[in-house]
Amino acid sequence: HVQLVESGGGSVRAGESLRLSCDTSSFGDTRYCLGWFRQAPGKEREGLAGIISTGRSTFYANSVKGRFTITLDNAKNTVYLQMNSLKPEDTAMYYCVGSLSNRGGYCFLPYPYEPDYWGRGTQVTVS
């Protein structure tokens, strides 16, 4: 049973930073793509970042490129999303996701596809 467990959300002011963490230990050795999505009230779900399980390739949405960084610590079975220069429009529920496959070598971006697994989410509020 795969469980992705997020942590690190909270309330911050515009311009500040947060780092989200996701425990991926239950994903096992079959993981291939890990990533982060978000959804704000009244808005569509948005893919933010993806990373191949080797950690060698990363992918970003244009809306966060240059501000957000996804990293993977395989020793800790944890994927992170470092979020800098946060804006009020970044306010959303953030979800850790995983997939057993990729699309042409890409993870979730720039060609969106439905992840196989979702965490329960962690709230980020920027005022």
Side-chain angles (χ1 to χ4, degrees), residues 23-94:
D23 179 358
T24 67
S25 55
S26 68
F27 211 89
D29 294 333
T30 57
R31 62 186 173 183
Y32 196 90
C33 282
L34 297 164
W36 293 90
F37 279 53
R38 71 184 178 190
Q39 188 164 25
K43 295 188 177 180
E44 292 188 357
R45 195 171 57 193
E46 177 185 15
L48 301 176
I51 186 167
I52 292 179
S53 58
T54 58
R56 292 175 187 167
S57 296
T58 56
F59 312 92
Y60 295 95
N62 288 334
S63 59
V64 303
K65 194 175 295 183
R67 297 190 300 125
F68 291 11
T69 303
I70 186 170
T71 56
L72 175 62
D73 186 334
N74 279 312
K76 295 183 178 180
N77 292 309
T78 302
V79 61
Y80 302 97
L81 185 68
Q82 177 67 42
M83 306 186 294
N84 298 328
S85 302
L86 283 162
K87 305 174 182 179
E89 51 263 45
D90 294 317
T91 295
M93 185 69 78
Y94 284 68

